[in-house]
Amino acid sequence: MTRRVYRVWFQTIVLTAAMAVFLLISVSMFTVGDEWSRSDPFSLVLYSVIGVGSLFGIWLALRMGVVVDERGIRIRNFGRGRFIRWQDVAALSCEVYDVRLGFPLYAPVVRMAVPSEPSDAASVPLAALGSYRSRVAQRRTGALAALVPPQRTAPVAEAQNRHADDK
């Protein structure tokens, strides 16, 4: 199986642009700022922290998304990510995972066979593959289900058929 990366491009571009603004502010204070801001130790530390933090933020924003490979599904968020092994996947279905301004958001939802930790949720929505249109989310769920290794195909196919019967 080849590695596939799915990204939320709008969110990635907006976060990268916001972090780039902070980086620009930090760099401009070192180069264009007045003499006081370049000689004050607190200002030097503050602008350095802003610069390093914004570089780290740009790196996090550019790597956000869902990575699917032969080992499982890796969810990369702006903060903490998550890895789901294929043997932990009980089912994969397209469901409403959120409602924003009265509009439902559809996305593939991974049902866990057994959560690896007690604090883990029994179902994990893949928000990077989400859409306001159910047809688009169902197509993405089908594409993801096609990437599931053969030993896990039967439960995933059953869940998709059950979801199609509900509509």
Side-chain angles (χ1 to χ4, degrees), residues 63 65-69 71-76 82-84:
R63 67 185 297 269
V66 175
V67 179
V68 181
D69 60 12
R71 294 181 299 144
I73 302 170
R74 181 170 303 280
I75 303 166
R76 293 180 176 167
R82 183 170 185 176
F83 180 73
I84 302 170

Side-chain angles (χ1 to χ4, degrees), residues 103-147:
F103 297 105
L105 260 168
Y106 301 91
V109 175
V110 176
R111 299 258 178 238
M112 305 293 285
V114 177
S116 56
E117 296 177 18
S119 63
D120 285 350
S123 62
V124 180
L126 302 177
L129 300 173
S131 174
Y132 285 103
R133 297 187 312 195
S134 65
R135 206 171 316 152
V136 172
Q138 286 173 351
R139 187 178 69 234
R140 291 175 181 166
T141 303
L144 184 62
L147 297 173

